[in-house]
Amino acid sequence: MSGLGDGTRAVRAGLPGAEQGAPFLPGPVFAAPFHLQGEVAGSDWSYTRYGNPTWTRYEAALGELEEAEVVVFASGMAAATALLFTSLSPGDAIAIDQGCYRGVRILCESHLAPRGVELRLAAPQELESAVPGARVLWMESPSNPKLEVYDLAALAESARAAGALCVVDNTTAGPLYQQPLDLGADYSMTSATKHLSGHADLLLGYVATRDPERAQALRDWRTEAGSIPGPFEVWLAHRSLATYALRLERGSANALALAELLAARDDVTGVRYPGLPGDLGHEIARRQMRGHGTVIAFDVASRERAERFLAASELITEASSFGGILTTAERRARWGGDDVSEGFIRLSAGCEDAADLLADVERALAAA
Ligand SMILES: Cc1ncc(COP(=O)(O)O)c(C=O)c1O
């Protein structure tokens, strides 16, 4: 479906051709074993850990958006685990952006380092020099939660020159707003728990790659490790894909309006949103992103003020995660483990009316 707009592609992605009397999107296939008589070879469906038609349809849909092979997993972390464990062996090194999602860092520290993988956790400006000699370069742009923007094409080129595999966690941007594979990455990984499913009701993740052997290695890992998604979650996510472009457009417009409001106030500092012309990452984001997403970050000076602000807001739902239809936010330091100040808030703009959100945030800041 090349040449079509994002909305058209998202609405139709992965749908089968018209068949008299059939639904547009066939329902989930619930099966552990399938009928399987005689020889196993040549049968598409045998046992769901090996494959399920509901996953295959969703992978085809995501593959249309990514222009790549897609392997879907039970969560974003299951996708990250598959990538890390299929590409790293004892003695290898991984260069990893120290500001990337804390779950990935914890996974590396708790499970890779003890198995003899060298972790090179690097600050943004040091990431490039950490690559030579590494087997994998792992980065995230815009990063969660600080929204640092990395020059993905330049770093992918450094990885290629050094013989390292380049992985981009594309969760905050998603496939409609950023295409890491086009920028030179070997793999693009996404937590579909966020914008792609969008309704805060399931966990899912996937990896996209244009190398069939790497895709097969990931499928084999999924079968062997059992990190498989449930067909119902996959079907729900496919159903939600139809509104992905709409939700993203609305949430991103709301995020920009909120970022502009926050940046203009003198009781808020450190506003980060790649769509703001004054943002540190704006120029690079303009080159490598087609939209700026729904997530913004800012600082309201102290833990107490952040807590008062969140409690005073009537339209911001206090919760972790992002990318849903409801506007959500949290004081990120409550988790520990991220290099953020006590008053740092990460907010994900939802699909409410912009005027209502702006009025609510102004009211809550004044009350705080
Ligand atoms: C950037 C990023 N990558 C990966 C993950 C992990 O995804 P999941 O929660 O679906 O396992 C998250 C979750 O917040 C994330 O924000």
Side-chain angles (χ1 to χ4, degrees):
M1 289 203 295
S2 58
L4 298 174
D6 287 347
T8 312
R9 294 191 306 138
V11 160
R12 296 192 166 267
L15 298 185
E19 195 186 316
Q20 191 76 349
F24 295 177
L25 173 64
V29 174
F30 296 120
F34 295 79
H35 285 293
L36 182 67
Q37 288 148 1
E39 288 304 314
V40 170
S43 54
D44 284 340
W45 315 116
S46 56
Y47 185 68
T48 275
R49 187 154 45 74
Y50 290 78
N52 178 290
T54 307
W55 308 346
T56 304
R57 190 171 291 113
Y58 183 55
E59 288 174 340
L62 295 175
E64 288 175 23
L65 302 186
E66 297 277 0
E67 295 181 50
E69 284 196 44
V70 164
V71 185
V72 67
F73 291 90
S75 65
M77 286 311 301
T81 304
L83 258 176
L84 291 165
F85 278 79
T86 53
S87 51
L88 288 161
S89 304
D92 287 341
I94 174 170
I96 178 163
D97 140 28
Q98 71 183 21
C100 78
Y101 174 57
R102 62 192 279 282
V104 173
R105 272 183 284 128
I106 292 170
L107 173 67
C108 290
E109 284 160 2
S110 307
H111 298 286
L112 289 179
R115 287 171 177 76
V117 173
E118 181 198 341
L119 300 189
R120 299 182 183 170
L121 276 169
Q125 57 285 3
E126 288 156 8
L127 196 53
E128 190 165 2
S129 56
V131 176
R135 172 81 185 126
V136 169
L137 164 63
W138 184 287
M139 54 189 168
E140 195 180 295
S141 182
S143 65
N144 169 25
K146 291 175 80 175
L147 299 178
E148 300 285 359
V149 176
Y150 291 81
D151 187 334
L152 296 180
L155 283 157
E157 176 53 29
S158 304
R160 200 200 53 75
L165 291 167
C166 174
V167 182
V168 175
D169 182 336
N170 199 34
T171 299
T172 52
L176 290 186
Y177 279 179
Q178 185 167 267
Q179 290 275 319
L181 300 178
D182 285 348
L183 296 166
D186 297 296
Y187 298 97
S188 174
M189 181 238 119
T190 301
S191 166
T193 309
K194 321 292 185 203
H195 303 95
L196 279 149
S197 61
H199 292 71
D201 51 10
L202 60 88
L203 272 84
L204 217 54
Y206 72 89
V207 180
T209 176
R210 291 181 180 153
D211 181 320
E213 279 181 25
R214 291 182 188 146
Q216 190 53 47
L218 290 163
R219 274 185 219 105
D220 291 344
W221 169 274
R222 177 178 65 187
T223 300
E224 288 149 15
S227 47
I228 57 165
F232 188 59
E233 279 79 359
V234 173
W235 179 83
L236 270 178
H238 198 161
R239 184 180 186 271
S240 299
L241 196 56
T243 54
Y244 171 43
L246 269 177
R247 289 182 281 103
L248 194 60
E249 203 178 304
R250 172 75 164 229
S252 301
N254 283 346
L256 178 61
L258 285 169
E260 283 169 344
L261 177 142
L262 293 166
R265 292 184 65 104
D266 50 20
D267 59 348
V268 174
T269 57
V271 179
R272 292 301 308 265
Y273 181 63
L276 276 181
D279 189 85
L280 284 173
H282 183 67
E283 274 313 305
I284 300 174
R286 243 166 35 95
R287 288 205 302 274
Q288 68 189 22
M289 299 181 78
R290 293 173 47 206
H292 299 108
T294 69
V295 187
I296 62 183
F298 55 98
D299 198 320
V300 294
S302 68
R303 170 183 178 153
E304 293 70 27
R305 185 153 191 263
E307 287 173 349
R308 286 198 300 272
F309 166 69
L310 292 169
S313 164
E314 289 172 9
L315 290 180
I316 299 173
T317 300
E318 190 175 353
S320 200
S321 201
F322 54 86
I325 44 176
L326 293 185
T327 294
T328 56
E330 70 172 338
R331 194 180 70 80
R332 191 64 186 176
R334 67 182 176 165
W335 288 92
D338 283 318
D339 173 28
V340 292
S341 59
E342 290 294 324
F344 177 97
I345 291 176
R346 186 194 63 198
L347 181 148
S348 172
C351 295
E352 300 88 346
D353 290 337
D356 294 337
L357 281 179
L358 295 174
D360 180 66
V361 165
E362 284 205 298
R363 202 169 40 235
L365 281 172

